[in-house]
Amino acid sequence: DLNGYFNYSCQPGTYFVNIDTLNKPYTVSCNYPGIDTLVTTSLVNPVVDFIDFEIKSKPITDLSVQAITNTGIVFPGTTHVIKVVAGDVLNWFGLNSISGVSGQIQLTITGPLNYSGNVSGSLTPVISGNTYTFNIADFASYANDGGILLSFQTQTTAQGGDQVCVHAEISSSIAEFNPLNNIKDYCYTVVNSYDPNYKEVYPIDVEPGFEDWLTYTIHF
């Protein structure tokens, strides 16, 4: 997960746990346990904890479009948000980026939508038709998650089943380690009044231990 924790279930036995660094932006930084470690589980001792691998950044630049999502009901006349997670891959693994690398993230969005603006706290794009360009001065100081949140209203003439498609590309000022992960496409569908009990909740994401109101909206 985002904190580096992992787990798996297995039958009693002996296993090698291996960290894969091939074509990855990181490598191991300690001789012990190095790239793998031997563990044994049994009915008496079924759990092995703290199989840790310390990693460090490779001296590379690797940008990627990691995810595209939409939140909110995509219904004629209503507003929803498109979110793009993109940036330096090293940030995705909690590692430090190489500073001084500039570039841009560009979205091409097609479908029955009208742009409503960017969400508070996100970057403001340069807009040309249905293309939205975000210029990044230094990817080392850019947070991959939360920098691109755009609000769109579904057109009132949209029909159920109409497609909205997002084409995202990221580029940099220098050659990259893996340019194949610089492009991602994502499509989703406009819905109509077939589900009278569609529910939304705010806030959508909360931290463990959250103690406050959850506000639900039920659509009829």
Side-chain angles (χ1 to χ4, degrees):
D1 61 20
L2 291 177
N3 296 311
Y5 296 109
F6 68 94
N7 63 80
Y8 67 94
S9 300
C10 63
Q11 295 296 318
T14 300
Y15 300 89
F16 272 110
V17 183
N18 179 281
I19 182 167
D20 181 13
T21 62
L22 181 65
N23 296 324
K24 301 295 191 299
Y26 53 78
T27 185
V28 294
S29 59
C30 283
N31 292 328
Y32 181 82
I35 201 168
D36 61 35
T37 190
L38 185 69
V39 298
T40 300
T41 61
S42 65
L43 294 176
V44 177
N45 296 298
V47 177
V48 179
D49 289 328
F50 305 111
I51 309 168
D52 297 331
F53 301 94
E54 186 170 350
I55 61 174
K56 64 181 179 180
S57 307
K58 291 179 180 177
I60 59 166
T61 295
D62 188 15
L63 306 179
S64 78
V65 181
Q66 291 144 355
I68 305 171
T69 60
N70 64 284
T71 57
I73 185 170
V74 188
F75 191 90
T78 63
T79 300
H80 66 281
V81 173
I82 294 174
K83 177 180 179 179
V84 177
V85 179
D88 192 324
V89 173
L90 291 171
N91 286 335
W92 190 252
F93 296 101
L95 299 171
N96 295 325
S97 304
I98 297 175
S99 62
V101 178
S102 61
Q104 63 178 210
I105 302 168
Q106 189 172 82
L107 313 180
T108 302
I109 301 174
T110 58
L113 301 180
N114 295 323
Y115 178 59
S116 300
N118 59 310
V119 177
S120 176
S122 64
L123 299 181
T124 301
V126 177
I127 303 173
S128 177
N130 64 337
T131 300
Y132 304 81
T133 302
F134 301 84
N135 295 307
I136 311 298
D138 189 345
F139 280 102
S141 58
Y142 170 74
N144 296 13
D145 191 3
I148 298 179
L149 293 163
L150 301 180
S151 180
F152 290 89
Q153 183 184 54
T154 308
Q155 296 173 1
T156 55
T157 55
Q159 301 295 310
D162 286 350
Q163 287 275 293
V164 176
C165 289
V166 183
H167 174 79
E169 295 189 33
I170 189 170
S171 58
S172 70
S173 56
I174 62 176
E176 293 182 40
F177 176 68
N178 179 20
L180 297 179
N181 58 13
N182 286 22
I183 296 176
K184 186 175 286 291
D185 291 284
Y186 171 73
C187 293
Y188 56 96
T189 304
V190 176
V191 299
N192 217 314
S193 301
Y194 66 88
D195 184 357
N197 299 316
Y198 181 87
K199 294 180 284 294
E200 292 181 287
V201 62
Y202 179 84
I204 297 173
D205 298 310
V206 298
E207 297 292 331
F210 176 80
E211 295 182 359
D212 207 336
W213 288 98
L214 295 172
T215 302
Y216 288 87
T217 302
I218 302 176
H219 297 265
F220 295 96

